[in-house]
Amino acid sequence: MSETLLSESGRRARHGSNIGQPLTRRDGVLKVTGAATYAADNHPEGMLYAVVATSTIARGRVTFLDEAAARAHPGVVEVMTGANRPALATDPDEKSNPFMFRLDLLQNDRVRYPTQPIAVVIAETLEAATEGAMLLAPRYEAEPARTGLDGAESFAPQSVGVGNPAFAETGDVESGLASAARRVDATYETPAQYHNAMEPHCVVAQWDGDTLSLDMPSQGLAMAQGRIAGLFGIAPENIRIRSPFLGGGFGSKGFPAGPQILGILAARLTGRPVKLVLRREQMFGPVGHRAPTRQRIRLGMAEDGRFTAIENHTRTTSSTFDDFFEPAADVAHTLYASPAIRTSYDVVRLDTGTPLFMRAPGEATGSIALESAIDEAAEAAGMDPLAFRLKNYAEVEPISGKPFSSKALRECYRQGAERFGWSKRPQQARQMRDEAGLLVGWGMGTATFPALMFQAKARATIRRDGTGLIETGAHDMGQGAWTALAQIGADAIGLGMDEVEFRAGTSDLPDAGIAGGSGHTATAGMALHKAGLAVIEKLAELAVSDERSPLYGAGNVGTIAREGKLLRRDDESRGEPYTAILERAGLAKIEAEGEAAADGAAQEAYAMHAHGAVFAEVKVDPDLGQIRATRLVGAFAAGRVINPKLVQSQLFGGMIWGVSFALHEHAVTDRRSGRVMNADLAEYPIPVNADVPSLETILVHEDDAHVNALGIKGVGEIGITGTGGAVANAIWHATGKRIRRFPISLADLLD
């Protein structure tokens, strides 16, 4: 399969809009039959295999590598260390912008975290490279590992996330707490979590002089191209990256990882194509993770249950050598109304790889704590949790004062509660059991995620044969971008999906921005929409200025593009096919480009968020403490829905991750060595089908004219943000126990 995905075959052309239709994924058959080509599936002629040798200590320096033993192994071609690594044009520890993170590229003998690359063995076979790496038998000068949220001295950061203020306040929090009739003061802890996409980070690299060809998974082709160009001192246009499919990313593939750059260096050192694929345990370190948090939340309520103060103080961690601080407290800015709100942070530096973006960064960690605290506040106020949220949800974003679509959130509450049967919920805990005697609990949580949009470009072409071509360097991590973006592009040029070829997934196409922050469909989709409008405008100019066309002179009234024809806006009985217009003009095709970016004025005036409400049922064994999330209903308002089938899939994925956050997922660190002890898929717990037997989503209609012209918001991350809290609150309702450390285990319930 090439990187160009051709139009669907065997489908009847649709009449009317492609947007809003639950079309099956264009790439689905390719994936399930094994025909989709992922990065590591490529095998150029003469290719070598590279294996990274990684540190087994958390801190110190490498004092010895047995390079001679590794080189003597049959099949080993080269051993790359700091002594013979090809030179780089820039220091991998330099940072020129907030989205650039420091890389470990064998620049010295220092070890900064476990699984840090310390050498690369390159061989004719994968087996020889793997055995050669084992023969290096490194020796170290080790220093004590700094681990845990109390493992080093804390300090107040200047910013969190990427440039978010580390301190924000409105009103007088201390006065609001002092005057409150009721208060909640609780501390919640969330663990470190690691990206475990099906496809590990990898690269197939091939040099031809100063021209570089790469097969590598990427959520941001243009950003990767620029970063690699800077490191190697070559022009970005000399680098071609192919990434038609990604086996998951969750934020970890937004930027080139150190091991991928090492694969490129290995290809330069040997002068041959090189493939490097990380093993599963090597994913726990150099490619980012979600940092742990400890969040102290203080809430004050008046006699009527309204908030008088909200505060979240978060402690989190980063590496010793770079800055990314999980912005967990910031979700308190966006949901609940209070005259006084304060968020603040302190952080510690540990001997770990640098934390990075991981699905709903900040929102996932912050919302599970906040929604648990909101439930505690509702209990203290003697109110139903839904009624309490309805009383306190914000009509405007509390910190900024900007209005947002609060009506949509109210509708999510209403529809979700009705479908779930919330009105039958007893207010007191430990009141429900099933026929087997298991404790039953119902809980809820509010979901929110910002409606982000970045910059992108696209190109649209109409051909004389009546077909279309739409192109943008988009990324499909499995979310269905191949299909949703094609639906947008096809509508923009007035053609059915069968008549449109969609090209994406390579860096030589127009820059589609980054597939992150749930903003890819809005960003790349708007670029495709504008490119389509531009090419239709060019086609219309040909027709309305041609005396032989039925559209001649229609420039003032305008035209409509529909089903391969241009029609007069004031008289749709008069028009002609695209084919006739191009044939008369003697053109084989006509094309145009489009660019998209967020509307700065709208962003200044409005707070832009998607909203939702998740309702969860759990069952708990009263004797053994075993927990099952037996039923989830989520209602979400996320702007205009391009493809309901794909949206539902994304929401399901987010909700499953929310269950995972509440009940399963955590990295266990050995405090003596600093190493992650469950760095595999056998002991790193994630849900399976049996853990989530019933999922239901409701797509709440929402028209938001301010986010972008198409009204698109994102759905990839919002499902996590309400679900974790809903499950935790359901466990309290079942057992009467408030567990404030996640994931919740049977041991917590048996204490």
Side-chain angles (χ1 to χ4, degrees), residues 358-369:
M358 187 168 176
R359 199 173 188 181
E363 286 84 7
T365 44
S367 66
I368 196 170

Side-chain angles (χ1 to χ4, degrees), residues 41 127 165 200 278 386 426 444 493 524 536 592 619 625 682:
D41 293 331
E127 293 78 6
L278 288 184
L386 175 56
M444 68 165 297
I493 58 176
I536 290 297
K619 294 186 178 181

